[in-house]
Amino acid sequence: MRLHLMPVHAKLAAVSDVAEQGLVQEWHELLARYSAVFTTLECRLQERHGIGANEFEALERLATCDFKCRSADLTGAIHLSQSATSRLVARLEKEGLVERALCEVDRRGIFVTLTDAGREKYLAAKRTHREVLSETLR
Amino acid sequence: MRLHLMPVHAKLAAVSDVAEQGLVQEWHELLARYSAVFTTLECRLQERHGIGANEFEALERLATCDFKCRSADLTGAIHLSQSATSRLVARLEKEGLVERALCEVDRRGIFVTLTDAGREKYLAAKRTHREVLSETLR
DNA sequence: CGACAGTACATGCACACGCATCTAATGTCT
DNA sequence: AGACATTAGATGCGTGTGCATGTACTGTCG
């Protein structure tokens, strides 16, 4: 179907269809890329260090956060809901990787800090993490 | 810390750290981009059409699949495990959007086809889908 | 033909997620 | 100060997911 044989409104429709297809393709590439990286991260981090990809992101955030990090800051950094973050911190605490400390100035909030074990776990997992990224990205 | 003041092995470490940081940044961008698009898709498709983003991907695959599509083909197309795909098809069937048909040549497999309702749902949801993509991508 | 490996899909199970809601603390307005 | 809205984080609940396994069927080899 050639454009110069089509009425104007059909030309416009055809042009926007092309643009639309581009968007769809871009989305599928994004999705495929994300899935590949994430599932590989998930597997490798789990089997070598016993933590998930989101757990790692939280540890990394805490390790690079100048030591005082509120739970809400984590919610912003990793792409999870507030409730998921709350449970994530609870899991990390149960495994002894972080500690929850009351925040004295605003007693609704809590500070989350890495334990020594948490910092070690992070440094070990970091190698695996970077390894996976360099394998699966690009 | 300037490179020309560092011993060779430290220079190399610094250079690879830079490359590593690039990878990490790329991953975070990919993650942020994916999350933004996916959650918006999920919300908007759910509230307007009562289907999730993965359900939509399945419908789209079926609508553009020359009418005979095995369950395993869907697993390849959407980024889910085989079991998740199986349940997804079950949900779609329960909502009357697809039908499962036995495959006579290989009676282990099933064919999944869109119903008329499924095709309508797809066409309606497609507009929303494209709308969200054009808002959130780029 | 009969046993046995392989394949396609379904299902039990444990678990992480989001939504809605709850609790406790803070801020605001009169 | 007292009432009410707001905020930080925890939790009950329903649901979707992956892993391991089950079930039915196919293909191969002796």
Side-chain angles (χ1 to χ4, degrees), chain B residues 90-126:
Chain B
R91 284 197 301 276
L92 291 176
E93 188 181 37
K94 201 163 65 182
E95 292 165 31
L97 302 178
V98 306
E99 277 171 354
R100 276 191 269 211
L102 283 175
C103 168
E104 284 307 322
V105 285
D106 181 349
R107 283 163 49 186
R108 291 168 302 181
I110 58 166
F111 283 129
V112 184
T113 55
L114 280 183
T115 61
D116 290 344
R119 190 165 292 272
E120 268 179 52
K121 179 74 81 179
Y122 165 64
L123 290 174
K126 186 179 173 185

Side-chain angles (χ1 to χ4, degrees), chain A residues 44-75:
Chain A
R44 196 97 47 106
L45 286 173
Q46 194 60 250
E47 77 188 9
R48 288 200 198 157
H49 310 281
I51 60 175
N54 287 331
E55 276 82 351
F56 176 83
E57 292 295 335
L59 292 184
E60 179 150 84
R61 176 72 180 183
L62 290 171
T64 57
C65 198
D66 294 344
F67 252 72
K68 290 274 179 186
C69 200
R70 292 257 302 282
S71 188
D73 301 331
L74 281 179
T75 303

Side-chain angles (χ1 to χ4, degrees), chain B residues 11-72:
Chain B
K11 284 189 198 185
L12 290 174
V15 168
S16 83
D17 273 2
V18 170
E20 200 175 77
Q21 270 314 110
L23 274 183
V24 173
Q25 191 185 336
E26 193 178 339
W27 166 234
H28 282 145
E29 280 163 15
L30 179 60
L31 190 51
R33 215 168 148 69
Y34 163 82
S35 293
V37 180
F38 190 83
T39 49
T40 311
L41 269 179
E42 193 79 9
C43 280
R44 197 96 47 105
L45 286 173
Q46 195 59 250
E47 75 186 9
R48 287 199 199 157
H49 310 280
I51 60 175
N54 287 332
E55 276 82 351
F56 177 82
E57 292 294 337
L59 291 184
E60 180 150 86
R61 176 73 181 182
L62 290 171
T64 57
C65 198
D66 295 343
F67 251 68
K68 289 275 179 186
C69 201
R70 292 254 303 283
S71 187

Side-chain angles (χ1 to χ4, degrees), chain A residues 43 70-72 82-83 86-87 100 108-110:
Chain A
C43 281
R70 292 257 302 282
S71 188
Q82 179 268 318
S83 67
S86 175
R87 290 177 219 270
R100 276 191 271 211
R108 292 167 301 181
I110 59 166

